[in-house]
Amino acid sequence: SANASANASAGPAAGQWTAQQRAAYGLQEEDLEYMVYWAEITAAMRARWGASIDALGNNLTRLLDNPCDVQERQCGVLQHIPRRVFRLLDRDGDGRLTRPEYEALYPPETQALDNGFIAGYTFAKAAANGTGGAISLQSWVRFFGGAQAILQASLKDATLRTLWTPCGAMTWGIPLGPSGNASKDPRLAEWLPATSFDQMADGRLIRRITGLNDSDNNVYMISIVVRNRVTGETAAYKLHTVQRQTPVYRPPEIGPTQVALLVGVSVSIGAIFIIFIIAAIYSIAAVAFFSENSPEDFQTFARAFIAMFRITIGSLEWWFD
């Protein structure tokens, strides 16, 4: 390292090294520094793949991966793509995909490279359970194998963005500051050595990212660029696409124990309330019939009612406590 540093100090300025000089210099860990770039692509994802309706009826950007409901309002992108391709190919709209309709997208001469199905399946095999040698929507969704490739192609559309390259990341991406908070001023960002990152047991670097919006199932691209501060070389790691799913309130599930407790509390409170009503009715009757004609009987009855009232209130307090 000492010899390498000495050679570097005597070498050309960063960015002026020839390929031969870089090869002779070699790779020194202490010369590497890293920058995390991020970019939001929620609007582009919504424009490309549409929106979905969550359990509360909110219109949100479609999730990348989510099971479909009966009305197909909650389908994720990976679940939406097979259905979208099927309806695109089903020219007559009869809900069945014939071989000519299928071959409009997958001609025979290219099926050896890509036939659209999962491994081990062909049109004939996928249509075996259908009628008239055609594929139903259910079979197409089950055996279609091109959803992941179509999604990745839409994400890595070079006409829109090139964040998977160093130049693209530094041009279109927003640099992430040392705190990892995406809401902070990007001008605070700086190139950092590996020692500024947390590390996993296998040596991989960790950068925690906070402050990303999640109000619309927001989608982000994360790119990590490394550069050699001596030779000026740059490289980008594998691009990451992440989605911040919007939180949806889901009521807690009620099990048998909770049901039994609710029933017990409801029955007990109901019984206490009935006793209180009966006691109140008797008190009214006592006032009407005993207060003037039988004062002693009224006083006895009044004491009994007061005792019952205290017992009732005490029971209610016990339940609420």
Side-chain angles (χ1 to χ4, degrees):
S1 296
N3 292 334
S5 299
N7 293 335
S9 61
Q16 298 180 359
W17 290 58
T18 64
Q20 185 177 5
Q21 289 172 321
R22 290 169 179 161
Y25 176 69
L27 181 64
Q28 311 298 326
E29 181 65 30
E30 60 270 21
D31 296 334
L32 302 181
E33 47 192 10
Y34 304 81
M35 178 76 78
V36 178
Y37 293 90
W38 66 276
E40 183 172 1
I41 60 170
T42 307
M45 288 296 294
R46 177 182 276 266
R48 179 68 176 84
W49 299 115
S52 61
I53 308 299
D54 69 8
L56 298 180
N58 298 315
N59 184 294
L60 298 171
T61 298
R62 193 180 299 277
L63 292 171
L64 297 178
D65 189 1
N66 194 61
C68 290
D69 58 335
V70 176
Q71 291 80 20
E72 298 185 3
R73 300 190 308 169
Q74 299 178 16
C75 294
V77 175
L78 291 174
Q79 290 72 29
H80 172 72
I81 288 175
R83 293 163 171 81
R84 189 165 177 174
V85 173
F86 182 90
R87 293 179 178 115
L88 176 66
L89 296 179
D90 184 19
R91 297 298 180 87
D92 55 11
D94 63 351
R96 299 165 61 253
L97 200 62
T98 62
R99 184 178 288 276
E101 290 174 329
Y102 161 76
E103 291 181 349
L105 182 62
Y106 299 97
E109 58 270 18
T110 65
Q111 291 178 18
L113 298 176
D114 179 19
N115 66 358
F117 295 106
I118 60 177
Y121 273 83
T122 62
F123 180 91
K125 189 173 181 179
N129 295 330
T131 57
I135 302 177
S136 66
L137 173 61
Q138 291 75 15
S139 294
W140 178 263
V141 170
R142 181 180 177 185
F143 301 122
F144 182 68
Q148 187 69 42
I150 292 174
L151 173 59
Q152 290 180 349
S154 70
L155 292 172
K156 300 184 74 171
D157 184 349
T159 63
L160 299 176
R161 64 191 75 88
T162 56
L163 275 86
W164 53 92
T165 68
C167 292
M170 290 185 284
T171 301
W172 301 104
I174 301 174
L176 186 69
S179 67
N181 191 332
S183 64
K184 298 295 184 181
D185 190 341
R187 291 175 296 181
L188 300 175
E190 56 182 319
W191 292 88
L192 299 173
T195 53
S196 298
F197 295 80
D198 294 332
Q199 291 192 15
M200 300 181 67
D202 58 4
R204 286 181 292 173
L205 305 180
I206 301 174
R207 167 60 75 206
R208 292 174 175 83
I209 303 177
T210 61
L212 295 175
N213 185 19
D214 62 357
S215 62
D216 186 24
N217 289 336
N218 303 68
V219 185
Y220 299 91
M221 283 187 165
I222 311 295
S223 182
I224 298 93
V225 177
V226 57
R227 75 176 182 184
N228 190 314
R229 60 183 179 84
V230 175
T231 65
E233 297 169 285
T234 59
Y237 285 85
K238 182 179 179 180
L239 181 70
H240 294 272
T241 302
V242 298
Q243 185 170 43
R244 296 277 296 164
Q245 183 174 354
T246 300
V248 178
Y249 172 75
R250 294 180 175 85
E253 296 183 0
I254 300 178
T257 303
Q258 290 80 4
V259 172
L261 180 61
L262 290 174
V263 171
V265 171
S266 301
V267 170
S268 300
I269 293 179
I272 293 172
F273 181 73
I274 292 173
I275 293 173
F276 180 79
I277 294 298
I278 293 174
I281 293 173
Y282 270 102
S283 67
I284 295 173
V287 171
F289 297 104
F290 298 152
S291 60
E292 295 181 358
N293 300 329
S294 303
E296 294 181 358
D297 292 338
F298 174 72
Q299 291 178 1
T300 301
F301 191 90
R303 286 194 295 271
F305 174 73
I306 292 172
M308 178 61 71
F309 179 77
R310 288 176 176 173
I311 292 173
T312 303
I313 294 300
S315 300
L316 290 174
E317 289 179 349
W318 180 82
W319 276 112
F320 286 112
D321 288 344

